[in-house]
Amino acid sequence: MLPLLRGAARHGGSGRMMWARAFSTNKKILAPPMTYIAGEEMSWYTMKIIREKWVEPFINTSKWEYFDLSCKNRDDTKDKVLHDAVASGARIGAIFKEPTITPSADQVKEFGLSKAWGSPNGAMRRGWNGITIS
């Protein structure tokens, strides 16, 4: 049984007390396997903060497979990271995808990419039987 959260009592409409419960154990919940696809720019930064503050302290994500689909990493791996992420998602069947960008001609120059890698969503739809998560 979880202890009551200190100061979390409130009165319900019927005059009886309702209590909020909180996690009080240092034991983390083990998350099931999942493919986690990291994106780019502000979505990556926002999810990093969320993971660090609200996921990682409470959830053991050691069974998650992480893939960096940033433009730079797709370029560095000649898009192999996209194919690996699609294969992982098809194998595991549970996928979380941060938004990614398809670089414009200006962004190709700005990021120093070898070429404008296309949108990953088509490869994901084909690999996941028509399902795309964004």
Side-chain angles (χ1 to χ4, degrees), residues 37-41 43 68-71 74 97-102 118-121 124 134:
I37 299 174
E40 194 130 29
E41 297 178 334
S43 66
D68 174 5
L69 255 60
S70 65
C71 292
R74 288 181 68 194
K97 179 188 173 285
E98 295 174 10
T100 54
I101 64 170
T102 303
S119 170
N121 294 333
M124 291 176 187
S134 293

Side-chain angles (χ1 to χ4, degrees), residues 31-94:
M34 181 175 74
T35 299
Y36 189 105
I37 299 174
E40 194 130 29
E41 297 178 334
M42 288 309 295
S43 66
W44 174 86
Y45 181 69
T46 302
M47 288 307 303
K48 178 181 181 292
I49 291 171
I50 290 170
R51 284 190 330 270
E52 288 174 354
K53 291 187 182 247
W54 295 301
V55 175
E56 292 168 3
F58 309 106
I59 311 265
N60 176 344
T61 61
S62 61
K63 292 188 176 187
W64 289 4
E65 295 181 17
Y66 289 87
F67 297 90
D68 174 5
L69 255 60
S70 65
C71 292
K72 184 70 176 140
N73 197 49
R74 288 181 68 194
D75 197 60
D76 290 346
T77 65
K78 305 284 188 250
D79 223 17
K80 183 180 183 315
V81 67
L82 171 60
H83 301 287
D84 292 346
V86 169
S88 172
R91 185 181 74 257
I92 294 173

